[in-house]
C-alpha cells in the first residue's frame, strides 16, 4: 500500500470526509457472527506498564477470530468519518495478507468481512458516511459501511495517482495520466463528471465540510490549490473553483483537514505548512519549516504535527505557533488527557506534557502486548496496537 500510510501506520486522509445523504445498493460481503467474540478478551494479554500509562483502561485485548483463509494481518486502519447522524465512527479496518478486509469495533467484535478482492488494495481503505472504498490497481470497490456488502465495483479507464476522497454519494479519484479528477457514483457505479487541472496530482484530495456545503480540495505538482463544490457524480462539472491558490512549489503530501473539517492543511515543497480555511481560502496560518515538506500534517487533539527533517514539530492548531519539537520521533499516537503519546524511532512509546513536550515516561511496550502495528488515533484518544498473528489491544485513558 502506498498513500494513506504515515510512517508505517494508516492515517485515512479522506476518511474524515463528511456529507449527509445515503447511497444504496446490494451485493456480497460476509457478515461475521459475534457470538464467538464475546469472550475474546479472556486471552488476557499483558497490558501497558503502569509507569507508562498510569490511568489506562483496557477496552479490549485478545485475538481477533478469523478463518483459516485470512492469512496474516497486513494493515490496521481507522475509520473516523461521521455517519449520516453525525456520529463519529470508531471502526477499525484490518487488511489481511489474502486481500480480505475485516471491520471490527473498538472492542474487537468483528462486524463484517469483505473477501471479493483478488489483488491487494493499493491504498488504505477510505471511509465515507455510507460506504468504504478500496482501490486495487485500476478497479474501484464500493462497500456498504455497515454491512460489508458490495454496492458496486467499477473498472476504471485510468490509473489512479493517489487515494480517493469520498462523500455521501460520490467517489473522487485523481488520474495519473491526464491531470484529471474523476467522479464515480456510489449508488450505481457510473462514471460522472471529470475536471482537468493544470498539472499532475500526486497528493490525495480531501473533503472539508465543517462550514457550509462540502468542498473538494485538490493540490497539484506545480503548487496549484483548488477548492471545488463537492458535486454529485451525476451533476455537471464545476465550472469554476470556489477559490484557488498558487503556491511557489509542488504539493506531493496528501491533503488533510482539521478534526472539525473547517481547515485544510497543505504541506508543500515551498518549505511551508499552510492552513487554509476551507470555505473561503483565507490562510489561517502557516508554519515555515526551512526545508521542503513531503509528509502530511496531522491534527491530533488540539495540536497539529508535522515531520520536519529528523524532528516532529507540534503546533497549536488555533494559530500555528510552535509549542515544541522533538527529535527521533516517528509520529504522534494520540491525545492522552493533558498529555500525548508519541512513537519514537527506536520503538519506544513516550508520554509527554501537551503544553511543553516534557517527557514524563519513555518505555518499550511490554512483550505481552502486540507491537507490529501501533496506530495513530487523531480523534479517539485510543492506544491501538496489533500484531500479524491477529492479537489486538485497545486502551483508553480512564475517566474519573
Amino acid at each position: 500500500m502506498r498513500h494513506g500510510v504515515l510512517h508505517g501506520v494508516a492515517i485515512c486522509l479522506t476518511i474524515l470526509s463528511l456529507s449527509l445523504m445515503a447511497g444504496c445498493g446490494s451485493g456480497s460481503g460476509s457478515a461475521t457472527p459475534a457470538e464467538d467474540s464475546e469472550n475474546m478478551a479472556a486471552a488476557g494479554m499483558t497490558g501497558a506498564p503502569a509507569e507508562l500509562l498510569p490511568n489506562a483502561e483496557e477496552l479490549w485485548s485478545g485475538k481477533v477470530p478469523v478463518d483459516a483463509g485470512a492469512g496474516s494481518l497486513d494493515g490496521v486502519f481507522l475509520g473516523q468519518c461521521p455517519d449520516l447522524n453525525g456520529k463519529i465512527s470508531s471502526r477499525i479496518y484490518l487488511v489481511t495478507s489474502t486481500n480480505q478486509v475485516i471491520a471490527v469495533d473498538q472492542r474487537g467484535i468483528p462486524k463484517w468481512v469483505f473477501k471479493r478482492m483478488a489483488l491487494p488494495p493499493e491504498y488504505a481503505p477510505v471511509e465515507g458516511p455510507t460506504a468504504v472504498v478500496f482501490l486495487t490497481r485500476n478497479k474501484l470497490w464500493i462497500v456498504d459501511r455497515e454491512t460489508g456488502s458490495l454496492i458496486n465495483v467499477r473498472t476504471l479507464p485510468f490509473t489512479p495517482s493517489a487515494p480517493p476522497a469520498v462523500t455521501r454519494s460520490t467517489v473522487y479519484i485523481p488520474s495519473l495520466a491526464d491531470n484529471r479528477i474523476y467522479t464515480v457514483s456510489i449508488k450505481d457505479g457510473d462514471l460522472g463528471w471529470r475536471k482537468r487541472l493544470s498539472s499532475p496530482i500526486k497528493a490525495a484530495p480531501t473533503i472539508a465540510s465543517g462550514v457550509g456545503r462540502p468542498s473538494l480540495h485538490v493540490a497539484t505538482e506545480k503548487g496549484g490549490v483548488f477548492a471545488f463544490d463537492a458535486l454529485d457524480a451525476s451533476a455537471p462539472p464545476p465550472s469554476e473553483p470556489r477559490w484557488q491558490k498558487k503556491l511557489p512549489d509542488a504539493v506531493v503530501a496528501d491533503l488533510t483537514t482539521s478534526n472539525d473539517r473547517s481547515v485544510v492543511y497543505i504541506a508543500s515543497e515551498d518549505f511551508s505548512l499552510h492552513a487554509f480555511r476551507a470555505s473561503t481560502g483565507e490562510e489561517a496560518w502557516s508554519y515555515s519549516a526551512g526545508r521542503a515538506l513531503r509528509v502530511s500534517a496531522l491534527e491530533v487533539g488540539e495540536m497539529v504535527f508535522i515531520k520536519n527533517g529528523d524532528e516532529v514539530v507540534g503546533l497549536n492548531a488555533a494559530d500555528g505557533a510552535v509549542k515544541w519539537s522533538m527529535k527521533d520521533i516517528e509520529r504522534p499516537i494520540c491525545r492522552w488527557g493533558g498529555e500525548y503519546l508519541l512513537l519514537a524511532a527506536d520503538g519506544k512509546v513516550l508520554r509527554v506534557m501537551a503544553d511543553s513536550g516534557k517527557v514524563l515516561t519513555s518505555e518499550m511496550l511490554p512483550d505481552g502486548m502486540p507491537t507490529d502495528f501501533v496506530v495513530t488515533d487523531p480523534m479517539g484518544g485510543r492506544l491501538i496496537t496489533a500484531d500479524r498473528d491477529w492479537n489486538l489491544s485497545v486502551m483508553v485513558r480512564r475517566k474519573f
Side-chain angles (χ1 to χ4, degrees):
M1 278 181 241
R2 298 180 295 205
H3 294 248
V5 177
L6 179 60
H7 300 294
V9 175
I11 306 302
C12 298
L13 303 172
T14 48
I15 265 177
L16 302 180
S17 62
L18 168 63
S19 194
L20 297 176
M21 183 182 79
C24 59
S26 61
S28 70
S30 65
T32 303
E35 49 205 297
D36 293 335
S37 311
E38 299 295 343
N39 296 318
M40 287 190 289
M45 295 188 302
T46 304
E51 296 80 10
L52 174 61
L53 301 175
N55 299 316
E57 175 184 350
E58 195 168 68
L59 283 184
W60 191 84
S61 176
K63 212 177 240 308
V64 178
V66 294
D67 61 38
S72 61
L73 179 59
D74 261 13
V76 182
F77 305 94
L78 298 189
Q80 297 194 311
C81 179
D83 63 14
L84 296 178
N85 298 314
K87 182 180 178 182
I88 298 293
S89 167
S90 60
R91 191 67 53 83
I92 302 171
Y93 297 98
L94 308 175
V95 178
T96 82
S97 61
T98 57
N99 310 325
Q100 298 180 24
V101 179
I102 303 172
V104 303
D105 68 16
Q106 64 180 355
R107 295 187 181 272
I109 309 300
K111 296 301 182 183
W112 50 259
V113 182
F114 185 71
K115 300 181 178 181
R116 296 287 296 272
M117 295 183 291
L119 296 173
E122 292 282 324
Y123 309 111
V126 181
E127 185 185 67
T130 60
V132 183
V133 303
F134 316 108
L135 279 170
T136 57
R137 197 169 293 171
N138 66 336
K139 188 169 285 189
L140 173 70
W141 303 82
I142 305 173
V143 174
D144 185 273
R145 165 173 157 165
E146 295 305 315
T147 67
S149 62
L150 180 65
I151 299 174
N152 277 297
V153 58
R154 155 68 72 171
T155 299
L156 302 173
F158 60 89
T159 299
S161 62
V166 184
T167 64
R168 61 188 181 183
S169 63
T170 302
V171 184
Y172 306 85
I173 312 169
S175 166
L176 182 64
D178 59 6
N179 307 341
R180 282 191 169 102
I181 290 283
Y182 286 78
T183 59
V184 177
S185 167
I186 287 176
K187 182 177 180 179
D188 54 30
D190 289 346
L191 284 167
W193 60 265
R194 54 190 178 180
K195 186 76 174 179
R196 185 191 291 273
L197 300 182
S198 57
S199 61
I201 307 163
K202 290 190 174 180
T206 193
I207 301 293
S209 41
V211 177
R213 294 172 298 170
S215 51
L216 170 70
H217 298 262
V218 188
T220 72
E221 198 176 22
K222 290 189 176 179
V225 178
F226 303 87
F228 298 101
D229 287 333
L231 301 175
D232 291 352
S234 59
S239 56
E240 297 293 335
R242 282 193 191 180
W243 55 263
Q244 64 185 82
K245 303 284 183 181
K246 181 65 174 72
L247 302 180
D249 215 327
V251 177
V252 297
D254 296 344
L255 277 58
T256 55
T257 68
S258 59
N259 288 337
D260 67 1
R261 299 162 192 82
S262 66
V263 175
V264 178
Y265 299 121
I266 301 178
S268 171
E269 292 190 352
D270 69 1
F271 293 15
S272 295
L273 169 62
H274 303 270
F276 293 112
R277 300 200 187 283
S279 57
T280 64
E282 173 193 0
E283 188 165 66
W285 52 262
S286 65
Y287 160 72
S288 179
R291 56 169 57 84
L293 296 177
R294 300 185 179 93
V295 177
S296 305
L298 179 65
E299 184 172 305
V300 181
E302 289 75 46
M303 293 180 65
V304 176
F305 293 89
I306 185 71
K307 188 80 170 179
N308 186 0
D310 62 353
E311 292 185 323
V312 163
V313 181
L315 310 170
N316 187 327
D319 59 13
V322 176
K323 298 188 75 170
W324 43 266
S325 63
M326 199 172 296
K327 290 183 179 294
D328 301 320
I329 299 297
E330 281 293 316
R331 52 188 166 78
I333 298 173
C334 65
R335 180 70 186 260
W336 196 259
E339 303 156 1
Y340 279 89
L341 301 183
L342 310 176
L343 182 65
D346 62 4
K348 290 182 178 178
V349 172
L350 280 64
R351 183 166 57 91
V352 306
M353 294 295 296
D355 289 339
S356 65
K358 178 184 177 182
V359 177
L360 301 174
T361 56
S362 174
E363 297 186 34
M364 300 295 292
L365 293 173
D367 290 341
M369 282 190 73
T371 57
D372 290 335
F373 304 94
V374 181
V375 183
T376 294
D377 186 5
M379 300 170 66
R382 297 169 294 176
L383 172 60
I384 302 171
T385 67
D387 65 24
R388 298 188 184 278
D389 294 325
W390 296 100
N391 293 302
L392 177 68
S393 171
V394 182
M395 293 186 176
V396 295
R397 187 178 187 275
R398 185 181 297 111
K399 296 179 180 179
F400 296 99

